[in-house]
Amino acid sequence: MQTWNAQRPSLPKYRLLQQALEARIAQLHPGDRFPSERELEQEYGVSRITVRQALQQLVLAGKLERIQGRGTFVARPKVEQGLVLTSFSEEMRRRGLTPGSRTLANQHIPADAELAARLAIAEGAPVIMLTRLRLANGEPMALETVYISAERFPLLAEADLTDRSLYAWLAEHYGIELTHGEQTIEAVVLTPQEARLFGLPPGLPAFRQVRLSYDQFDRPVELVRSLYRGDRYKLFTPLTRPPQLVLTEPDWTFPEQLNVAADTHQSIGT
């Protein structure tokens, strides 16, 4: 049985176990198998509930990952997703990963008021709804549903996009280049149905993204609703100071009431 510090009454026992397991994880490598709940229960002399709580916290913290049917493993580095207009396939190849997909739905639906407004089409006009589970090196990474005008892009209904980028397909068949867009991102948790598709337990964190993309003629092309695994993704964006807030010529004039002596060095921070 492991010797560990379980005598600090200020912290719950599962938190103390979590700290002990974090030290253990630090000695392992990404992808290494982690002991099962039963093994940890016996090794540390605690209840199954305590072990389960500690492991759940480590999964939420991105230190461990659970793979359904296989067990618990030391988490691999997260895929860094830049907030730029790229396709899933382009982004995965840029990361040295092999993109793929599994088509879950490819059907026509009538445009409701929101789709009509977003895609600049008539309400009730036919829309192709394409839902795919996106893969990287065979691993499910994102759930993606694309809405696109069936009248403008009729060939898409018969297209095989299993291992192809939609952006590349649009360029090849219609000469369309997606050049800019707008996107919202929110934090959510996986529903039981979504978790099953990813092979994960329900309740894990995820990113829900909604993107409207435009072509080189400033026409809306696609509305995309995507769900990205929070345990395998992190978001990255460069930041710049708005020009109107950047002082090109700092004003070092001091108010008279400060009565700063000539030989005194002052600094004022905001």
Side-chain angles (χ1 to χ4, degrees):
M1 183 178 296
Q2 283 274 9
T3 300
W4 60 294
N5 183 12
Q7 307 301 321
R8 291 175 57 193
S10 59
L11 288 177
K13 185 171 285 189
Y14 78 91
R15 288 288 189 187
L16 297 173
L17 178 59
Q18 177 186 342
Q19 293 175 355
L21 296 180
E22 285 175 344
R24 184 167 180 166
I25 290 170
Q27 300 173 2
L28 300 174
H29 299 94
D32 284 353
R33 183 188 175 279
F34 207 67
S36 67
E37 290 182 0
R38 182 179 179 181
E39 290 170 331
L40 292 172
E41 178 185 358
Q42 295 174 344
E43 189 173 342
Y44 288 91
V46 295
S47 70
R48 183 70 60 91
I49 292 177
T50 297
V51 170
R52 191 164 296 160
Q53 287 178 307
L55 290 178
Q56 180 66 7
Q57 292 301 314
L58 291 168
V59 169
L60 292 174
K63 297 181 182 295
L64 293 176
E65 59 181 330
R66 286 175 170 149
I67 301 177
Q68 202 165 32
R70 294 182 55 196
T72 303
F73 299 83
V74 177
R76 293 155 293 174
K78 292 187 177 184
V79 175
E80 187 177 88
Q81 184 186 28
L83 299 182
V84 293
L85 185 58
T86 57
S87 72
F88 178 89
S89 297
E90 291 167 341
E91 188 66 25
M92 291 304 103
R93 289 193 183 100
R94 193 168 71 88
R95 302 291 177 189
L97 304 172
T98 301
S101 63
R102 189 161 74 238
T103 300
L104 304 179
N106 187 348
Q107 62 191 76
H108 284 71
I109 62 171
D112 59 18
E114 180 190 3
L115 282 175
R118 294 286 194 100
L119 296 176
I121 59 178
E123 190 170 346
V127 170
I128 295 173
M129 184 183 76
L130 175 64
T131 301
R132 293 182 292 172
L133 186 66
R134 309 309 307 269
L135 314 173
N137 290 350
E139 179 186 11
M141 299 289 281
L143 180 63
E144 176 186 273
T145 299
V146 178
Y147 302 89
I148 196 165
S149 171
E151 293 178 340
R152 187 178 174 193
F153 305 103
L155 297 178
L156 181 58
E158 306 299 327
D160 181 7
L161 297 176
T162 302
D163 294 309
R164 290 208 62 188
S165 162
L166 174 60
Y167 288 12
W169 186 91
L170 287 170
E172 178 182 335
H173 290 81
Y174 290 97
I176 292 297
E177 296 287 344
L178 298 183
T179 58
H180 59 289
E182 55 196 45
Q183 181 170 270
T184 61
I185 303 171
E186 60 181 323
V188 297
V189 295
L190 295 177
T191 67
Q193 181 181 2
E194 293 164 344
R196 279 195 298 273
L197 291 171
F198 288 118
L200 298 171
L204 289 183
F207 297 110
R208 190 177 303 283
Q209 302 184 10
V210 179
R211 174 189 290 183
L212 181 63
S213 306
Y214 296 81
D215 64 15
Q216 67 268 43
F217 308 108
D218 202 29
R219 295 179 298 183
V221 172
E222 60 163 5
L223 178 68
V224 187
R225 295 190 174 108
S226 303
L227 186 68
Y228 287 86
R229 293 172 52 171
D231 65 324
R232 296 291 284 119
Y233 270 92
K234 61 181 178 181
L235 302 177
F236 167 81
T237 182
L239 300 176
T240 57
R241 185 84 165 152
Q244 64 271 25
L245 297 180
V246 177
L247 295 177
T248 55
E249 295 183 4
D251 182 5
W252 298 108
T253 303
F254 292 95
E256 293 182 1
Q257 57 268 32
L258 288 179
N259 193 25
V260 181
D263 60 349
T264 302
H265 299 286
Q266 296 282 348
S267 64
I268 299 178
T270 58

